[in-house]
Amino acid sequence: MVRGALALALLAVHLDAATVVDHAPARDENTPADRRETCRVLEDTRVLTGPRKRDPAVEVRRLLVHSTGNAKGQQRVREKRLAKACEDLDKLQRGAGGRKRVAALVTVSCLALLVFCLIERQVRRALGGDQKMQGLYPGNQRVRPTGRMILYHLSGLRLRAGHTTDPPTIVISRGVQLHLLDLLGLEPTHPRWPET
């Protein structure tokens, strides 16, 4: 027996063929007949096949049942969820400082995603050919680098603070980091002195 939204969708195709059944649930016993929920039923058959090609096809009887009471209940649930979502959005806007602040956060997130994609694109273009490299995963297999893996490996870089006569240096602990920096066209070992 198929109920709910699926039954409604299937019944909508064959609504004229569906039969209105004389059924009143217990909750509608004292409700006037013109305000009671109605139920529609449609019976058909469907052929089901097994997961393997050699499995035999089986024809089953299917009953599609739609109740206006259930449909109204589902509509009320959807309206409550929508109201809750609107309430949560209002809270987010108030907590984030209003619509302008939310718009600014979305803009920053989009810019971060753009930089993420540009890093991935630059590394793949610099690799050329099949755009694959070794050293990103254990086992040393050749794979196409993703932005996530590139940033994962670069997150292990450390900056060694400099002194008055000694500039700061980037500490590279793995060869893959040096390779990625080279693919990105960055001078890895000698960052500039900060402007004072």
Side-chain angles (χ1 to χ4, degrees):
M1 189 176 292
V2 182
R3 295 180 178 270
L6 175 59
L8 178 61
L10 293 169
L11 280 171
V13 178
H14 307 288
L15 194 57
D16 294 337
T19 305
V20 177
V21 294
D22 185 20
H23 168 72
R27 64 178 174 270
D28 276 355
E29 285 178 355
N30 298 324
T31 305
D34 60 330
R35 289 178 38 211
R36 289 181 184 169
E37 67 179 77
T38 58
C39 291
R40 290 182 179 267
V41 177
L42 180 67
E43 180 180 345
D44 71 354
T45 58
R46 182 179 176 99
V47 176
L48 299 177
T49 57
R52 296 178 300 242
K53 289 184 179 180
R54 67 173 183 262
D55 291 341
V58 178
E59 186 175 9
V60 295
R61 179 176 162 231
R62 179 170 63 169
L63 294 175
L64 306 172
V65 180
H66 176 257
S67 162
T68 55
N70 288 343
K72 288 176 185 174
Q74 290 171 354
Q75 179 64 30
R76 283 193 296 271
V77 168
R78 283 192 293 272
E79 288 170 358
K80 285 181 182 176
R81 286 179 181 164
L82 181 60
K84 181 75 170 79
C86 289
E87 182 183 320
D88 290 345
L89 181 59
D90 288 341
K91 285 180 185 176
L92 175 64
Q93 288 176 351
R94 284 193 300 273
R99 290 180 186 263
K100 289 184 180 178
R101 179 91 182 242
V102 170
L105 290 171
V106 169
T107 302
V108 169
S109 297
C110 289
L111 287 173
L113 286 172
L114 176 63
V115 170
F116 186 87
C117 293
L118 289 173
I119 289 171
E120 180 179 300
R121 180 176 176 233
Q122 173 61 31
V123 168
R124 288 184 179 186
R125 287 182 75 183
L127 285 169
D130 64 358
Q131 299 181 340
K132 293 182 178 180
M133 67 178 285
Q134 292 176 313
L136 294 175
Y137 292 98
N140 221 19
Q141 66 267 32
R142 289 177 51 80
V143 295
R144 292 181 73 183
T146 63
R148 181 177 181 182
M149 286 308 298
I150 293 166
L151 293 177
Y152 168 78
H153 286 289
L154 294 181
S155 68
L157 293 174
R158 297 290 176 259
L159 181 67
R160 182 182 300 143
H163 302 288
T164 316
T165 59
D166 185 26
T169 56
I170 296 175
V171 179
I172 298 173
S173 58
R174 296 190 306 272
V176 69
Q177 295 170 337
L178 183 61
H179 189 198
L180 287 170
L181 290 172
D182 185 48
L183 291 169
L184 289 167
L186 300 173
E187 173 58 43
T189 53
H190 298 292
R192 292 185 314 153
W193 278 99
E195 299 290 337
T196 53

